[in-house]
Amino acid sequence: MALRRIFLVGIGIIMAIVFGSLTQIKGIAQSFTDLDLAVYHAPIHYQDTDSTKYIGDYITRFDYDGNWQGTNNWDNLQQFALNAYAYYSVVETCTHWFITYSFFHPQDWTDIPFDQEHENDLEGKLAIVRKDGSTFGKLEGIVTVFHKDFYSYTPSASPLVNGAENIDGTLTMNTYNGSLHPLTTQEAKGHGLKAWPYTSNFKGASNEDGIIYYPSKTTAELPASGNDRNVQYLLLDVFASNGMWQRQLNEASLSSSSALTFASWGTFKGDTSGGCGAGTPTCSTNSANAPWGWDDSNDGSVYKGEMALDPAHLTDVYFDGLGNFDTTYIRNQFIQDLKDRGYNSANLPQGWPTQINLNSLIGKLKNQCF
């Protein structure tokens, strides 16, 4: 019996290595954390800034002002330090890790007459990482959030090709802290995000306004000015206790008037106080979305929130050339937490996207790969 147990454990370990992660064998610990994985693939981030209001373009955390009230983030911009943070989440299939990264700004602002602005802004990207047998896998592509459109990019030699959506460009990769990182960039003011250098007026030249942010597991630095070329941003787990996702779950059955952070499922509260819309611009309310509220306006069968909730499906639609590709999850805390809270197709969170069948989503969870 002892020899038989040793043989079975050995076979299991070999199969897990083939799939690239020891998390697939129940009871065997992963040799690294999600934070390690997220930092390894996190972008070097070029943030364009506008001299009219540099701090309006600094990245930070939603509760930078010490609270989770969505309707005072615009108001408090001048009163608190905007140390650099970004959010991440990791979900896992037998073949891939899917990592979302998101960058928060307290204001989506403008100094252009008759333009529009709004309180809170969160845009980001999905990283598609194949388990290739190496510790942290290989980045095969990203999909970025640029307001109401998604854009796709792949590194050189990626196997991914156009699917239902076209690939929009090639990723630039730079070495930092011993690993290759993709370069991303965000506009000033409106903060739409694409791969560098496909948007914004900031490419890193000395005569351009902008900040270059670098990922960190320990440090959240404050930019010296709107022209700082080396600022570390600290990665925060979306699933952290009392973090962004837990706030959403806690408010998922509340009305907008009762909730503090979210106006509806995946959409932050935001109002017109504090000068939003002052002068000739207009100010829209409840206009910023969390990753489970991100949506491309014209990508067919991919629905609101799937970049976070069901990234394997989004990837399967957006790309061909996927090879061995699993579309069910051995680890997806978004879906698991919804299930554990008792949500299903007959008991949906307030504002749940009507196109997504929650029972079908829950059915994509599984315990192991064999």
Side-chain angles (χ1 to χ4, degrees):
M1 290 295 292
L3 288 174
R4 183 173 181 271
R5 284 195 297 270
I6 292 170
F7 173 77
L8 290 174
V9 170
I11 291 295
I13 291 173
I14 290 169
M15 293 182 72
I17 291 172
V18 169
F19 285 118
S21 173
L22 292 178
T23 60
Q24 295 151 32
I25 300 180
K26 202 168 184 178
I28 297 181
Q30 184 170 275
S31 60
F32 55 88
T33 67
D34 282 347
L35 178 58
D36 294 330
L37 179 69
V39 168
Y40 186 90
H41 292 288
I44 297 169
H45 192 60
Y46 283 62
Q47 175 63 66
D48 193 6
T49 61
D50 189 283
S51 59
T52 305
K53 185 168 54 177
Y54 280 142
I55 62 172
D57 297 317
Y58 289 7
I59 63 171
T60 192
R61 56 193 297 161
F62 189 92
D63 57 338
Y64 77 99
D65 54 357
N67 64 69
W68 282 91
Q69 182 177 334
T71 54
N72 68 4
N73 281 329
W74 181 289
D75 316 53
N76 290 338
L77 183 69
Q78 308 280 352
Q79 301 175 38
F80 295 86
L82 298 173
N83 291 70
Y85 292 88
Y87 293 93
Y88 76 94
S89 65
V90 177
V91 304
E92 183 178 3
T93 70
C94 293
T95 60
H96 285 77
W97 290 290
F98 299 92
I99 312 168
T100 62
Y101 299 90
S102 51
F103 299 96
F104 176 75
H105 301 81
Q107 299 182 359
D108 178 307
W109 64 282
T110 185
D111 56 4
I112 300 172
F114 310 111
D115 202 356
Q116 188 175 78
E117 52 193 15
H118 59 79
E119 187 164 36
N120 302 318
D121 198 15
L122 190 74
E123 303 193 34
K125 71 161 195 170
L126 169 70
I128 303 156
V129 179
R130 176 170 291 279
K131 300 175 181 179
D132 65 347
S134 63
T135 301
F136 296 114
K138 185 175 183 179
L139 181 68
E140 292 189 324
I142 72 170
V143 181
T144 74
V145 180
F146 190 85
H147 309 305
K148 295 182 179 180
D149 292 292
F150 295 167
Y151 288 83
S152 306
Y153 306 91
T154 54
S156 298
S158 171
L160 303 188
V161 296
N162 292 341
E165 298 288 318
N166 291 329
I167 294 171
D168 297 291
T170 301
L171 280 173
T172 300
M173 308 286 290
N174 279 357
T175 299
Y176 175 67
N177 277 351
S179 63
L180 281 173
H181 295 259
L183 271 57
T184 54
T185 184
Q186 278 186 285
E187 305 170 300
K189 306 176 187 178
H191 308 135
L193 191 150
K194 292 184 179 181
W196 183 94
Y198 295 100
T199 191
S200 91
N201 296 316
F202 177 54
K203 305 299 185 288
S206 59
N207 62 340
E208 297 172 337
D209 292 333
I211 300 168
I212 304 178
Y213 288 102
Y214 292 86
S216 173
K217 291 191 287 186
T218 59
T219 305
E221 293 185 322
L222 179 67
S225 71
N227 286 288
D228 195 330
R229 298 300 189 261
N230 194 333
V231 179
Q232 292 184 77
Y233 70 88
L234 179 62
L235 281 159
L236 299 175
D237 191 348
V238 162
F239 300 131
S241 177
N242 198 36
M244 189 179 291
W245 173 243
Q246 291 302 313
R247 300 291 309 184
Q248 175 69 96
L249 289 175
N250 293 342
E251 295 185 357
S253 61
L254 301 179
S255 66
S256 178
S257 59
S258 301
L260 187 69
T261 305
F262 290 92
S264 61
W265 180 261
T267 299
F268 296 114
K269 295 187 76 168
D271 63 14
T272 60
S273 66
C276 181
T280 53
T282 60
C283 182
S284 62
T285 61
N286 305 334
S287 296
N289 296 311
W292 48 95
W294 288 341
D295 193 22
D296 182 289
S297 58
N298 60 356
D299 61 353
S301 62
V302 176
Y303 302 118
K304 179 180 178 180
E306 287 194 325
M307 185 180 286
L309 300 171
D310 195 3
H313 176 245
L314 180 149
T315 302
D316 198 23
V317 172
Y318 270 51
F319 300 99
D320 286 338
L322 291 163
N324 180 28
F325 186 76
D326 188 15
T327 58
T328 55
Y329 300 98
I330 55 173
R331 199 162 55 103
N332 187 322
Q333 191 170 334
F334 293 113
I335 304 175
Q336 189 65 55
D337 284 350
L338 286 165
K339 178 184 177 184
D340 292 346
R341 293 276 184 126
Y343 290 112
N344 53 53
S345 293
N347 178 35
L348 294 171
Q350 292 277 357
W352 180 262
T354 57
Q355 302 95 330
I356 298 179
N357 185 303
L358 184 50
N359 284 353
S360 296
L361 197 61
I362 292 170
K364 294 185 177 186
L365 294 173
K366 61 185 179 183
N367 292 325
Q368 54 190 9
C369 294
F370 53 92

